[in-house]
Amino acid sequence: EDQVTQSPEALRLQEGESSSLNCSYTVSGLRGLFWYRQDPGKGPEFLFTLYSAGEEKEKERLKATLTKKESFLHITAPKPEDSATYLCAGHLLQGAQKLVFGQGTRLTINP
Amino acid sequence: EAGVAQSPRYKIIEKRQSVAFWCNPISGHATLYWYQQILGQGPKLLIQFQNNGVVDDSQLPKDRFSAERLKGVDSTLKIQPAKLEDSAVYLCASSSTPYTGELFFGEGSRLTVL
């Protein structure tokens, strides 16, 4: 069964304290690995797409990396406005192409 | 550019009642998705349309859920009769093609079933 699992479920950091979020996947026919940000009461917002192992993407304080079995979202010197739920999703090739989401990591940055 | 519009934002109903949600995608986006997001979980795909045709509805509980996109633009998702476990946020998303995982989501419709 195709599965995307994120850890930890929740993470609380102090402002400026760097850390990483993990996304592991067991899917067949992975077309790409996507990261989204979701603020409370809002829909997810696209951040990154990663297609091949070793690929990296950066945006401000966020950097996403991909291996053959997992992806990491590194957050460097976070600010309170980085507080959100971060979702990863596998884009499947088989049949109708669709996104399979993980359960998300709820990130809180304390000032 | 206007985003994905959804209504209503909030709805509270009793179990066994019916409810309908409406979505208007980004102009020109041929692919439209309905996702269900239960509190503390990631979104789960219910149905995917390409223009007015269904591409994937494998996870749609067809005994109570229905969706349509008659003119290939806006869409309606209906639940009848609702169960307690249908309490969730219903997210509509659209994309320019069905081959991308870069989706544009609306703010969602939060349903509470009492």
Side-chain angles (χ1 to χ4, degrees):
Chain A
E1 182 186 348
D2 298 313
Q3 205 164 9
V4 177
T5 304
Q6 293 186 244
S7 62
E9 288 188 6
L11 181 62
R12 190 178 292 270
L13 301 172
Q14 290 299 121
E15 184 172 2
E17 181 184 0
S18 301
S19 188
S20 296
L21 313 182
N22 177 264
C23 171
S24 62
Y25 57 92
T26 51
V27 298
S28 53
L30 183 74
R31 182 178 176 88
L33 193 290
F34 289 74
W35 283 96
Y36 281 79
R37 169 185 171 135
Q38 186 172 26
D39 292 303
K42 305 286 187 182
E45 180 181 354
F46 169 76
L47 289 173
F48 303 110
T49 310
L50 301 164
Y51 290 107
S52 55
E55 188 175 359
E56 298 183 352
K57 294 276 181 71
E58 284 189 66
K59 182 179 181 180
E60 296 182 357
R61 294 174 292 282
L62 299 176
K63 183 169 78 173
T65 61
L66 183 65
T67 71
K68 288 186 178 179
K69 293 185 178 181
E70 57 191 349
S71 177
F72 294 93
L73 185 65
H74 308 277
I75 182 160
T76 303
K79 298 181 178 182
E81 53 262 42
D82 295 322
S83 297
T85 295
Y86 291 86
L87 297 161
C88 75
H91 191 215
L92 307 185
L93 266 173
Q94 62 198 47
Q97 297 179 27
K98 64 181 181 184
L99 283 180
V100 176
F101 282 89
Q103 78 276 28
T105 292
R106 190 172 65 254
L107 178 65
T108 304
I109 308 299
N110 294 317
Chain B
E1 179 183 80
V4 176
Q6 290 190 246
S7 68
R9 288 295 316 277
Y10 306 93
K11 189 74 176 179
I12 301 174
I13 61 174
E14 301 277 337
K15 60 183 178 182
R16 291 187 290 274
Q17 287 186 325
S18 63
V19 63
F21 302 112
W22 173 83
C23 171
N24 192 39
I26 290 174
S27 178
H29 279 191
T31 312
L32 185 148
Y33 313 77
W34 283 102
Y35 281 83
Q36 179 192 57
Q37 187 172 27
I38 294 172
L39 187 65
Q41 299 182 18
K44 182 183 84 170
L45 179 67
L46 292 176
I47 189 167
Q48 177 182 343
F49 290 96
Q50 179 63 21
N51 295 308
N52 60 350
V54 175
V55 174
D56 183 356
D57 63 357
S58 57
Q59 297 190 94
L60 186 74
K62 298 181 184 64
D63 57 335
R64 298 182 299 105
F65 286 65
S66 65
E68 60 182 15
R69 194 184 184 198
L70 292 176
K71 297 183 179 178
V73 180
D74 57 350
S75 176
T76 302
L77 175 70
K78 296 180 182 177
I79 308 174
Q80 181 180 14
K83 292 185 175 181
L84 296 178
E85 57 261 37
D86 298 333
S87 294
V89 176
Y90 291 86
L91 294 163
C92 179
S94 69
S95 63
S96 54
T97 83
Y99 308 112
T100 178
E102 184 177 346
L103 308 186
F104 295 83
F105 284 86
E107 294 195 322
S109 295
R110 179 179 297 277
L111 173 65
T112 302
V113 182
L114 303 176

